[in-house]
Amino acid sequence: MNFTIKKEQLPSFLDVLAKKSAVFVPVEEDSGATIFAPWEGQQLFLEGRTLFSPKFLFRPSQEKIFFFRKQTGSYEISPLDDKKQKIVFGIRPCDTHALNVLDQLFEKYCDCGSDQFYTSRRKNTVLIALQCKGPCENGFCTSMGTSQPVGHDLLFIERGNDFFVTAATERGKRLLGKKFFKPAKDTAPSRKLECQNSLETKNLAQNLYSNFNHPVWKQEGDRCLSCTSCTQVCPTCYCYFIEDNFLFGSDKESERSRQLDSCQLQRFSKVAGNHVFRKSRAARLRQFVLHKLSYYQQHHGLQLCIGCGRCIAACPVDIDLTKIANEIQKDTLGVKK
Amino acid sequence: MKAPEEPLQAEITDIADETYDTKTFTVSYSDAKAQKKFSFVPGQFMMVSIFGYGEIPISISSSPYKTESMRFTVVNVGNVTNAMHRLRKGDKIGLRGPYGNGFPLQKFRKKNIVFVTGGCGLAPLRSAIYAVQAKQSEFGKKFILFGCRTPANILFPDDQKKWAEEGFAVLSTVDRCDANWKGNTGVVTCLFDKAELPVENTVVLVCGPASMMKFSLIELRKKGFKNTQLYASLERVMQCGMGFCAHCNIGNKYTCVHGPVFSAKDLGEMPVEEE
Amino acid sequence: MAAQKNPEKSRCAPETLAAAPKVKVGLFSLTCCEGCIFTILDLEEKLLAALPFINIVESAALLEKPLAGSEKLDISFVEGSVITPGEEGLIKRIREKSTVLVALGACAAIAGIPGMRNALPAGMEAKIQQVKTLAVRAKASPLSDVVPVDYVLPGCSINEKEFLLFLQKILIGWKPRLEDVPVCFECKRNQDPCLLLKGELCLGPVSFAGCDAMCPGNGAQCIGCRGFTKDANFSSLDALFKEMGEGKRERYNLFTYFNQLPEALKELKGEN
């Protein structure tokens, strides 16, 4: 069943939600950064996708996984948990796909067991997706088939003075109190996006993989600042390293944490004895692009890249993943782009 | 809540000095049940935690038929291994694993088997050598070619002596000799001629520093070995050991899941990151 | 105590720290604003929490004692650049009696602000010689130009958290390493917007992280006080600055604010 809610009632609806759960919404900060932040009645940013994705709500960039303390004869390992009920309002279709893609890795892939931190956060978070009004700059979700949401609980579609709301799950539907939501009399407005940016996906994973030594890698890599912005804003960059730390005066209690890493850094591939396996910028850039568009698909059947275009928007020197991939595709497929 | 990276505790029951910078630690899980359940394939590795310092991948260097404990042979090279070297008998460490594929020894039955090792590369291979030693009749001719920097770096001399007594052809060489050294001098590849390796029905397992493995494979191919006969165990950065953290990938392969043991055929199909 | 000779060997794990003998620490200042030592003093209760493990035996700022006595030290933290011949002798003496020498802050690590005197416009040097009141060396040098330095904690001033972490790590026998991570890594991790994209000159991509991207996070450009990473792509960043319409002189001034001009950008020098 479908519903509608008046636009001016949205803040009150979020207030109601915030009474029971932690609600996260897209906002534009004073600095100009667009991020997901806790709802505090502030102005919402609904113009397009945020530059920083909501991945941090599921995989924080710095995440303690347990404390340990030396006892006589053994260590006492105190586990941590995160079972907070969360609601993310305004997650874009591409970002719902990002979570879907990461689910393959953290929930299903490994026989060593799933990552309970991630799965628990996923389970305890309601996703209220917001359909895009139009294509965003740099985005190419229509090429990647990610312009319609997946795995969401509710879908909001903006139109005129109200939102058209579709419930995709029971727990989503339960949030639609009568006070704000009226049954919809019409059908869902169709929203077909036409992205300006595009990526030729035909045989993409294979073509990129077999063009490991294409000149485009060096050509673009030479300009790369190795600033890691692309990997930080990417909603599916998850690579991490593990670190131990302790604090003076904290009764000798130490912690182990996972920290978001970046393949654009030399340390990413550095082994004992300081040998770096991916030294050149070209090799590091290629690692990023191939992980997004080739390796992951070869392992999990899904492209890790979900076409949000954030890496392009965040790059200070205009390195464009779609340009690189299309260049190789053009040479391989012989298709004019 | 449990992260897949949470280790189980284990106790160091013995520490043996191998060389001036290498020690072998005998370790067993504090939980007897976990130790009883433990089994591994030679060539597999464990993620070893030194609490307060961090976690590193270390190959198991003990026999797969003696799993009441496990052994790690560790060179003091980095911060974590340095901390490990300062531990004492009875100290606790963290363990998880085993991870990786290991050597497909089943496939090698009835074949001649050659172990080519450089320096501490003998440690991961020792487990495989023990396995072959335990079932000698199942294999053909057996060779161990060992190279290291100086006579002071020679690893497991007692084992090497025993293997030689038990029918392995054991040859060793050092890069730089001292006055007392009477053996071979030069890199490990110079032993290939000396050993008169049979090419027919033979497999070669290589483990050592990256450049040593690269040149060993090149020389072995020159001798007529096919890529399907050659296996190498690789080293990469690993944070998780389970295919999560994505540090160890080479092309579309994860060293921790698809490796660390690769056939030269797999290696040939891998893209070369850099020259 | 013999164990104090080599603090790194006597330690085992964080838990055994309390049982280990206290590490003798010295804090020294050469030519600088002394901001780094004050950053340490500003740690207040956090510094007090570290005192069970360290013993500050020499410090002009803390203790009224003559400097650089003959007592051996486990770790010496030295801030400031080497500018006078006297300081050259002092840092050599400190090096001699210290097991571990740590360069503290931009001046000690990369010559920093005093290093500006190394690239003076023509004629300026002669003027300095006229008015100078004390003997100065021909160059303001980072410590590493004069003596071997074991560790560097860069920044103007140093980062509190990094200092504490360094202290913790070194006390447990860890050798901390300044990794080639740019300021941008922390800036983006904090979800701050890119100043370069806003058209501002920022040295984030070529400067060492560890400051939690404090400046860009507050809307101020990074001016490279923590020094340049070994992995820095200077030519690409300079090309970007040029594209943004910045003149040679502005670019030169920015790159040499705290740092010595990198080799890759030597053509910027000319007119200055």
Side-chain angles (χ1 to χ4, degrees), chain C residues 129-218:
Chain C
Q129 295 302 329
Q130 282 168 18
V131 298
K132 72 171 183 189
T133 51
L134 92 171
V136 287
R137 299 165 77 238
K139 257 185 89 184
S141 301
L143 305 188
S144 58
D145 277 7
V146 184
V147 291
V149 170
D150 299 302
Y151 300 98
V152 171
L153 287 176
C156 183
S157 60
I158 54 162
N159 179 277
E160 287 188 8
K161 222 175 130 191
E162 192 185 28
F163 173 78
L164 276 177
L165 206 64
F166 174 84
L167 206 52
Q168 289 159 13
K169 293 265 178 186
I170 199 154
L171 287 177
I172 63 165
W174 181 281
K175 294 197 167 103
R177 190 165 50 188
L178 200 56
E179 288 285 358
D180 265 355
V181 178
V183 170
C184 305
F185 180 78
E186 291 175 341
C187 180
K188 291 295 141 317
R189 191 174 67 189
N190 295 344
Q191 309 201 31
D192 288 319
C194 181
L195 295 177
L196 289 170
L197 288 174
K198 287 183 175 177
E200 287 172 45
L201 304 188
C202 179
L203 291 183
V206 293
S207 305
F208 275 115
C211 51
D212 206 25
M214 194 172 22
C215 298
N218 287 300

Side-chain angles (χ1 to χ4, degrees), chain A residues 252-265:
Chain A
K252 292 170 250 158
E253 197 162 76
S254 314
E255 69 195 30
R256 179 162 293 175
S257 61
R258 291 193 288 225
Q259 310 255 353
L260 189 71
D261 207 350
S262 173
C263 54
Q264 300 308 301
L265 302 173

Side-chain angles (χ1 to χ4, degrees), chain A residues 40 68 111 128 131 190 200 206 306 319:
Chain A
E40 288 162 351
F68 54 94
D111 29 335
I128 305 181
Q131 186 57 272
S190 91
E200 174 56 59
Q206 270 317 311
I306 46 85
I319 293 173

Side-chain angles (χ1 to χ4, degrees), chain B residues 9-265:
Chain B
Q9 286 188 56
E11 188 178 320
I12 297 177
T13 54
D14 190 39
I15 302 174
D17 286 315
E18 303 288 356
T19 71
Y20 65 93
D21 66 349
T22 308
K23 287 183 184 182
T24 295
F25 297 83
T26 309
V27 177
S28 48
Y29 281 117
S30 304
D31 176 5
K33 266 192 240 150
Q35 189 60 44
K36 206 159 181 202
K37 252 174 55 189
F38 177 77
S39 72
F40 73 98
V41 178
Q44 281 193 307
F45 64 91
M46 303 287 287
M47 293 301 294
V48 177
S49 284
I50 311 300
F51 290 105
Y53 294 85
E55 214 175 19
I56 45 168
I58 302 179
S59 296
I60 305 164
S61 68
S62 49
S63 166
Y65 300 116
K66 287 183 183 161
T67 52
E68 67 281 358
S69 66
M70 60 194 105
R71 285 181 182 178
F72 300 107
T73 303
V74 184
V75 189
N76 182 351
V77 280
N79 276 321
V80 182
T81 50
N82 182 269
M84 194 167 179
H85 268 242
R86 281 178 278 141
L87 293 179
R88 274 162 291 200
K89 207 168 139 177
D91 281 344
K92 293 288 194 297
I93 61 172
L95 286 181
R96 54 192 180 88
Y99 297 122
N101 56 358
F103 292 102
L105 289 176
Q106 284 295 321
K107 276 199 341 203
F108 302 159
R109 284 165 72 182
K110 304 265 186 296
K111 290 185 176 172
N112 305 316
I113 188 160
V114 183
F115 299 94
V116 180
T117 75
C120 58
L122 182 56
L125 282 184
R126 184 168 80 158
S127 172
I129 296 173
Y130 281 147
V132 171
Q133 189 187 7
K135 305 209 164 159
Q136 292 227 30
S137 55
E138 291 184 9
F139 296 90
K141 287 182 183 158
K142 297 167 287 288
F143 297 84
I144 297 168
L145 312 182
F146 173 74
C148 63
R149 274 171 294 158
T150 68
N153 297 94
I154 290 179
L155 214 49
F156 312 134
D158 297 343
D159 276 328
Q160 293 201 29
K161 215 170 125 197
K162 188 131 193 288
W163 293 327
E165 286 163 11
E166 290 198 16
F168 285 78
V170 182
L171 285 84
S172 47
T173 178
V174 296
D175 296 351
R176 288 188 313 276
C177 59
D178 57 19
N180 299 323
W181 180 250
K182 301 209 165 53
N184 300 302
T185 311
V187 289
V188 74
T189 48
C190 70
L191 296 177
F192 294 167
D193 275 327
K194 254 196 188 105
E196 294 173 3
L197 301 177
V199 175
E200 197 78 358
N201 197 35
T202 301
V203 287
V204 187
L205 316 187
V206 187
C207 187
S211 60
M212 168 264 169
M213 290 201 278
K214 185 178 152 191
F215 288 109
S216 294
L217 293 179
I218 290 172
E219 290 302 316
L220 288 164
R221 279 191 209 107
K222 279 190 200 156
K223 294 248 163 290
F225 285 97
K226 295 204 176 61
N227 274 340
T228 47
Q229 293 174 281
L230 308 173
Y231 290 82
S233 177
L234 304 191
E235 181 204 13
R236 281 296 184 279
V237 191
M238 285 176 201
Q239 298 289 334
C240 72
M242 303 172 286
F244 281 146
C245 78
H247 278 74
C248 66
N249 75 319
I250 312 171
N252 60 0
K253 296 280 195 293
Y254 286 114
T255 312
C256 65
V257 177
H258 305 109
V261 176
F262 292 102
S263 76
K265 186 172 168 285

